[in-house]
Short mmCIF file of all heavy atoms in Angstrom, two decimals:
data_model
loop_
_atom_site.label_atom_id
_atom_site.label_comp_id
_atom_site.label_asym_id
_atom_site.label_seq_id
_atom_site.Cartn_x
_atom_site.Cartn_y
_atom_site.Cartn_z
N ALA N 806 0.83 -1.21 0.00
CA ALA N 806 0.00 0.00 0.00
C ALA N 806 0.86 1.25 0.00
O ALA N 806 0.57 2.23 -0.68
CB ALA N 806 -0.93 -0.01 1.21
N LEU N 807 1.95 1.21 0.75
CA LEU N 807 2.86 2.34 0.76
C LEU N 807 3.55 2.50 -0.59
O LEU N 807 3.86 3.60 -1.02
CB LEU N 807 3.91 2.17 1.85
CG LEU N 807 3.43 2.40 3.28
CD1 LEU N 807 4.54 2.08 4.26
CD2 LEU N 807 2.98 3.84 3.45
N ALA N 808 3.79 1.39 -1.26
CA ALA N 808 4.44 1.45 -2.56
C ALA N 808 3.57 2.19 -3.57
O ALA N 808 4.07 2.86 -4.47
CB ALA N 808 4.75 0.04 -3.06
N GLN N 809 2.24 2.08 -3.42
CA GLN N 809 1.35 2.79 -4.33
C GLN N 809 1.40 4.29 -4.09
O GLN N 809 1.20 5.09 -5.00
CB GLN N 809 -0.08 2.27 -4.16
CG GLN N 809 -0.24 0.80 -4.53
CD GLN N 809 -1.63 0.29 -4.23
OE1 GLN N 809 -2.51 1.04 -3.82
NE2 GLN N 809 -1.85 -1.00 -4.45
N VAL N 810 1.68 4.67 -2.84
CA VAL N 810 1.81 6.09 -2.52
C VAL N 810 3.17 6.62 -2.98
O VAL N 810 3.30 7.73 -3.46
CB VAL N 810 1.63 6.32 -1.00
CG1 VAL N 810 1.83 7.79 -0.65
CG2 VAL N 810 0.25 5.84 -0.58
N ALA N 811 4.20 5.79 -2.81
CA ALA N 811 5.56 6.19 -3.17
C ALA N 811 6.12 5.18 -4.17
O ALA N 811 6.90 4.32 -3.80
CB ALA N 811 6.44 6.26 -1.94
N PRO N 812 5.68 5.22 -5.43
CA PRO N 812 6.15 4.25 -6.41
C PRO N 812 7.65 4.34 -6.61
O PRO N 812 8.23 5.41 -6.54
CB PRO N 812 5.38 4.65 -7.68
CG PRO N 812 5.02 6.08 -7.46
CD PRO N 812 4.80 6.23 -5.99
N GLY N 813 8.24 3.18 -6.88
CA GLY N 813 9.67 3.13 -7.11
C GLY N 813 10.47 2.87 -5.86
O GLY N 813 11.66 2.61 -5.94
N MET N 814 9.81 2.92 -4.67
CA MET N 814 10.52 2.65 -3.43
C MET N 814 10.27 1.21 -3.01
O MET N 814 10.98 0.29 -3.40
CB MET N 814 10.08 3.64 -2.34
CG MET N 814 10.44 5.09 -2.66
SD MET N 814 9.99 6.17 -1.29
CE MET N 814 10.50 7.76 -1.94
N VAL N 815 9.23 1.03 -2.18
CA VAL N 815 8.93 -0.32 -1.74
C VAL N 815 8.39 -1.14 -2.90
O VAL N 815 8.49 -2.36 -2.91
CB VAL N 815 7.92 -0.29 -0.56
CG1 VAL N 815 7.68 -1.68 -0.03
CG2 VAL N 815 8.47 0.59 0.54
N GLY N 816 7.81 -0.47 -3.88
CA GLY N 816 7.29 -1.20 -5.03
C GLY N 816 8.36 -1.99 -5.75
O GLY N 816 8.08 -3.03 -6.35
N TRP N 817 9.60 -1.50 -5.67
CA TRP N 817 10.70 -2.24 -6.28
C TRP N 817 10.86 -3.59 -5.60
O TRP N 817 11.16 -4.60 -6.22
CB TRP N 817 11.97 -1.42 -6.11
CG TRP N 817 13.12 -1.91 -6.95
CD1 TRP N 817 13.07 -2.76 -8.01
CD2 TRP N 817 14.49 -1.58 -6.79
NE1 TRP N 817 14.31 -2.97 -8.53
CE2 TRP N 817 15.21 -2.24 -7.80
CE3 TRP N 817 15.17 -0.75 -5.90
CZ2 TRP N 817 16.58 -2.14 -7.93
CZ3 TRP N 817 16.54 -0.64 -6.05
CH2 TRP N 817 17.23 -1.33 -7.05
N LEU N 818 10.62 -3.62 -4.28
CA LEU N 818 10.72 -4.87 -3.54
C LEU N 818 9.50 -5.76 -3.75
O LEU N 818 9.62 -6.94 -4.05
CB LEU N 818 10.88 -4.58 -2.04
CG LEU N 818 10.74 -5.78 -1.12
CD1 LEU N 818 11.88 -6.75 -1.33
CD2 LEU N 818 10.71 -5.32 0.33
N ILE N 819 8.31 -5.17 -3.61
CA ILE N 819 7.10 -5.97 -3.62
C ILE N 819 6.73 -6.43 -5.03
O ILE N 819 6.39 -7.59 -5.26
CB ILE N 819 5.93 -5.18 -3.00
CG1 ILE N 819 6.28 -4.82 -1.56
CG2 ILE N 819 4.65 -5.98 -3.05
CD1 ILE N 819 6.49 -6.00 -0.66
N SER N 820 6.80 -5.52 -5.97
CA SER N 820 6.36 -5.84 -7.32
C SER N 820 7.36 -6.72 -8.04
O SER N 820 6.99 -7.71 -8.68
CB SER N 820 6.12 -4.55 -8.11
OG SER N 820 5.12 -3.78 -7.49
N GLY N 821 8.62 -6.36 -7.96
CA GLY N 821 9.62 -7.13 -8.67
C GLY N 821 9.51 -6.93 -10.17
O GLY N 821 8.72 -6.13 -10.66
N ARG N 822 10.33 -7.64 -10.91
CA ARG N 822 10.29 -7.52 -12.35
C ARG N 822 9.46 -8.60 -13.01
O ARG N 822 8.97 -8.44 -14.10
CB ARG N 822 11.72 -7.56 -12.89
CG ARG N 822 12.58 -6.38 -12.41
CD ARG N 822 13.96 -6.44 -12.99
NE ARG N 822 14.77 -5.30 -12.55
CZ ARG N 822 16.05 -5.13 -12.89
NH1 ARG N 822 16.64 -6.01 -13.67
NH2 ARG N 822 16.70 -4.08 -12.45
N LYS N 823 9.33 -9.73 -12.29
CA LYS N 823 8.53 -10.82 -12.83
C LYS N 823 7.66 -11.37 -11.71
O LYS N 823 7.97 -11.24 -10.53
CB LYS N 823 9.42 -11.94 -13.38
CG LYS N 823 10.27 -11.50 -14.58
CD LYS N 823 11.12 -12.66 -15.05
CE LYS N 823 12.01 -12.24 -16.23
NZ LYS N 823 12.86 -13.37 -16.67
N HIS N 824 6.58 -12.02 -12.09
CA HIS N 824 5.68 -12.58 -11.09
C HIS N 824 6.39 -13.63 -10.26
O HIS N 824 6.19 -13.72 -9.04
CB HIS N 824 4.47 -13.20 -11.79
CG HIS N 824 3.50 -13.84 -10.83
ND1 HIS N 824 2.69 -13.09 -10.00
CD2 HIS N 824 3.23 -15.15 -10.55
CE1 HIS N 824 1.94 -13.90 -9.26
NE2 HIS N 824 2.27 -15.15 -9.58
N GLN N 825 7.25 -14.44 -10.88
CA GLN N 825 7.95 -15.47 -10.14
C GLN N 825 8.88 -14.84 -9.12
O GLN N 825 8.98 -15.31 -7.98
CB GLN N 825 8.76 -16.34 -11.11
CG GLN N 825 9.48 -17.49 -10.41
CD GLN N 825 10.24 -18.36 -11.39
OE1 GLN N 825 10.22 -18.11 -12.60
NE2 GLN N 825 10.89 -19.39 -10.89
N GLN N 826 9.56 -13.75 -9.49
CA GLN N 826 10.43 -13.07 -8.56
C GLN N 826 9.64 -12.47 -7.40
O GLN N 826 10.10 -12.44 -6.27
CB GLN N 826 11.20 -11.98 -9.29
CG GLN N 826 12.25 -12.53 -10.25
CD GLN N 826 12.96 -11.42 -10.98
OE1 GLN N 826 12.33 -10.41 -11.32
NE2 GLN N 826 14.24 -11.59 -11.24
N GLN N 827 8.43 -12.01 -7.68
CA GLN N 827 7.60 -11.42 -6.63
C GLN N 827 7.28 -12.45 -5.56
O GLN N 827 7.24 -12.15 -4.38
CB GLN N 827 6.31 -10.88 -7.25
CG GLN N 827 5.37 -10.26 -6.22
CD GLN N 827 4.09 -9.80 -6.83
OE1 GLN N 827 3.89 -9.90 -8.04
NE2 GLN N 827 3.20 -9.29 -6.01
N GLN N 828 7.05 -13.69 -5.98
CA GLN N 828 6.74 -14.73 -5.02
C GLN N 828 7.95 -15.07 -4.15
O GLN N 828 7.80 -15.50 -3.04
CB GLN N 828 6.27 -16.00 -5.77
CG GLN N 828 4.98 -15.80 -6.57
CD GLN N 828 3.82 -15.40 -5.69
OE1 GLN N 828 3.68 -15.90 -4.59
NE2 GLN N 828 2.99 -14.48 -6.17
N GLU N 829 9.16 -14.86 -4.68
CA GLU N 829 10.35 -15.22 -3.94
C GLU N 829 10.79 -14.13 -2.97
O GLU N 829 11.55 -14.39 -2.06
CB GLU N 829 11.48 -15.52 -4.94
CG GLU N 829 11.22 -16.76 -5.79
CD GLU N 829 12.29 -16.96 -6.84
OE1 GLU N 829 13.14 -16.05 -7.00
OE2 GLU N 829 12.28 -18.00 -7.51
N SER N 830 10.37 -12.90 -3.18
CA SER N 830 10.77 -11.81 -2.29
C SER N 830 10.03 -11.91 -0.96
O SER N 830 8.88 -12.34 -0.90
CB SER N 830 10.49 -10.46 -2.94
OG SER N 830 9.10 -10.29 -3.11
N SER N 831 10.72 -11.52 0.12
CA SER N 831 10.08 -11.63 1.43
C SER N 831 10.84 -10.81 2.46
O SER N 831 12.02 -10.49 2.29
CB SER N 831 10.04 -13.10 1.88
OG SER N 831 11.35 -13.60 2.05
N ILE N 832 10.12 -10.47 3.53
CA ILE N 832 10.72 -9.90 4.74
C ILE N 832 10.17 -10.70 5.91
O ILE N 832 8.96 -10.77 6.10
CB ILE N 832 10.39 -8.41 4.93
CG1 ILE N 832 10.84 -7.59 3.74
CG2 ILE N 832 11.06 -7.89 6.19
CD1 ILE N 832 10.52 -6.12 3.87
N ASN N 833 11.06 -11.30 6.69
CA ASN N 833 10.64 -12.13 7.81
C ASN N 833 11.21 -11.58 9.12
O ASN N 833 12.35 -11.11 9.16
CB ASN N 833 11.13 -13.58 7.62
CG ASN N 833 10.50 -14.23 6.40
OD1 ASN N 833 9.32 -14.06 6.13
ND2 ASN N 833 11.31 -14.98 5.66
N ILE N 834 10.40 -11.65 10.17
CA ILE N 834 10.83 -11.25 11.51
C ILE N 834 11.47 -12.46 12.19
O ILE N 834 10.89 -13.54 12.23
CB ILE N 834 9.65 -10.73 12.34
CG1 ILE N 834 9.09 -9.44 11.72
CG2 ILE N 834 10.08 -10.47 13.78
CD1 ILE N 834 7.88 -8.90 12.44
N THR N 835 12.66 -12.27 12.75
CA THR N 835 13.37 -13.34 13.47
C THR N 835 13.94 -12.77 14.77
O THR N 835 13.98 -11.56 14.98
CB THR N 835 14.51 -13.93 12.62
OG1 THR N 835 15.48 -12.90 12.37
CG2 THR N 835 14.00 -14.46 11.29
N ASN N 836 14.37 -13.69 15.63
CA ASN N 836 15.07 -13.31 16.87
C ASN N 836 14.30 -12.26 17.66
O ASN N 836 14.85 -11.25 18.10
CB ASN N 836 16.48 -12.79 16.55
CG ASN N 836 17.36 -12.72 17.79
OD1 ASN N 836 17.16 -13.48 18.74
ND2 ASN N 836 18.32 -11.82 17.79
N MET N 837 13.01 -12.51 17.86
CA MET N 837 12.14 -11.58 18.58
C MET N 837 12.51 -11.57 20.07
O MET N 837 12.59 -12.62 20.70
CB MET N 837 10.69 -12.02 18.39
CG MET N 837 9.67 -11.23 19.18
SD MET N 837 9.58 -9.53 18.64
CE MET N 837 9.29 -8.74 20.21
N GLN N 838 12.74 -10.39 20.63
CA GLN N 838 13.10 -10.27 22.04
C GLN N 838 12.28 -9.15 22.69
O GLN N 838 12.49 -7.97 22.38
CB GLN N 838 14.59 -9.99 22.20
CG GLN N 838 15.48 -11.12 21.73
CD GLN N 838 16.95 -10.82 21.90
OE1 GLN N 838 17.34 -9.71 22.22
NE2 GLN N 838 17.77 -11.83 21.69
N LEU N 839 11.37 -9.53 23.56
CA LEU N 839 10.58 -8.56 24.32
C LEU N 839 11.22 -8.40 25.69
O LEU N 839 11.47 -9.38 26.38
CB LEU N 839 9.14 -9.03 24.42
CG LEU N 839 8.07 -7.98 24.69
CD1 LEU N 839 6.71 -8.46 24.20
CD2 LEU N 839 7.98 -7.64 26.17
N ASP N 840 11.50 -7.17 26.08
CA ASP N 840 12.22 -6.91 27.33
C ASP N 840 11.26 -7.02 28.51
O ASP N 840 10.78 -6.02 29.05
CB ASP N 840 12.85 -5.51 27.27
CG ASP N 840 13.78 -5.25 28.46
OD1 ASP N 840 14.02 -6.20 29.23
OD2 ASP N 840 14.26 -4.11 28.60
N TYR N 841 11.00 -8.27 28.93
CA TYR N 841 10.06 -8.50 30.02
C TYR N 841 10.55 -7.88 31.33
O TYR N 841 9.78 -7.32 32.10
CB TYR N 841 9.83 -10.00 30.23
CG TYR N 841 9.20 -10.69 29.04
CD1 TYR N 841 9.94 -11.55 28.24
CD2 TYR N 841 7.86 -10.48 28.73
CE1 TYR N 841 9.35 -12.18 27.16
CE2 TYR N 841 7.27 -11.10 27.65
CZ TYR N 841 8.02 -11.96 26.86
OH TYR N 841 7.46 -12.58 25.78
N GLY N 842 11.85 -7.98 31.59
CA GLY N 842 12.39 -7.47 32.84
C GLY N 842 12.57 -5.97 32.86
O GLY N 842 12.85 -5.40 33.92
N GLY N 843 12.40 -5.31 31.72
CA GLY N 843 12.63 -3.88 31.65
C GLY N 843 11.37 -3.06 31.50
O GLY N 843 11.44 -1.88 31.12
#
């Protein structure tokens, strides 16, 4: 949705150049740490 507002930015990541490439692109959250003691 942000890519539609600012084309050429995130759209480069999400849209990709081909449909197959679009399926392969991703952003994943890892190593989640919530500061319970803080």
